[in-house]
Amino acid sequence: MLIRYKKTFEKIAMGLLSFMPTEKDLKKLQQTIKEYETEEDWQLFLWKEEDIIGLIGVLYQNGANALVIQHISVNPSHRFQGIGKKMVKALREMYTDKEIISNENTAAFIEKCDVC
């Protein structure tokens, strides 16, 4: 189930975000979390089954009526089980009126995702 990020999930979110190649540096990681917390157009969602095991972050592009997937990450022990695809599918169901697109960091995964 996709749930919205809250400050109480900060450590979990930072841990999941740190698996993204662009978020290895602690200062960059803290800056990214701060953007999700303060920027209205940045939205972060967590994937919860029994525990929180995935994360997907999007940037609203109001002019293009689109959501750009900025970050997508799954806990390594839960990878290759379709969690990433489930997150994208849930996002698509939440925002049926918006086009979902990738950025350069998420394009390789999104291209393989059959629900986009």
Side-chain angles (χ1 to χ4, degrees), residues 5-20:
Y5 168 82
K6 291 184 218 146
K7 184 80 171 162
T8 54
F9 299 133
E10 183 178 40
K11 285 188 170 118
I12 296 167
M14 284 180 73
L16 288 165
L17 260 180
S18 71
F19 295 122
M20 291 288 298

Side-chain angles (χ1 to χ4, degrees), residues 33-40:
I33 285 288
K34 187 172 175 62
E35 283 179 295
Y36 280 117
E37 290 175 348
T38 59
E39 298 294 323
E40 198 174 298

Side-chain angles (χ1 to χ4, degrees), residues 18-44:
S18 71
F19 295 122
M20 291 288 298
T22 57
E23 303 295 328
K24 296 292 183 199
D25 177 64
L26 182 60
K27 286 207 185 307
K28 171 74 171 98
L29 187 58
Q30 290 170 328
Q31 178 187 349
T32 300
I33 285 288
K34 187 172 175 62
E35 283 179 295
Y36 280 117
E37 290 175 348
T38 59
E39 298 294 323
E40 198 174 298
D41 292 341
W42 287 59
Q43 291 292 316
L44 191 60

Side-chain angles (χ1 to χ4, degrees), residues 61-109:
Q61 287 191 328
N62 290 328
N65 198 33
L67 291 175
V68 180
I69 296 178
Q70 299 284 95
H71 300 96
I72 189 162
S73 178
V74 176
N75 180 313
S77 61
H78 294 276
R79 290 187 182 162
F80 306 108
Q81 298 175 18
I83 305 295
K85 288 182 181 183
K86 286 181 187 176
M87 288 192 294
V88 174
K89 186 175 184 217
L91 195 67
R92 164 133 343 273
E93 289 168 359
M94 255 175 151
Y95 296 99
T96 55
D97 61 325
K98 300 205 182 307
E99 181 183 6
I100 296 189
I101 55 179
S102 59
N103 68 9
E104 64 277 2
N105 299 320
T106 59
F109 176 78

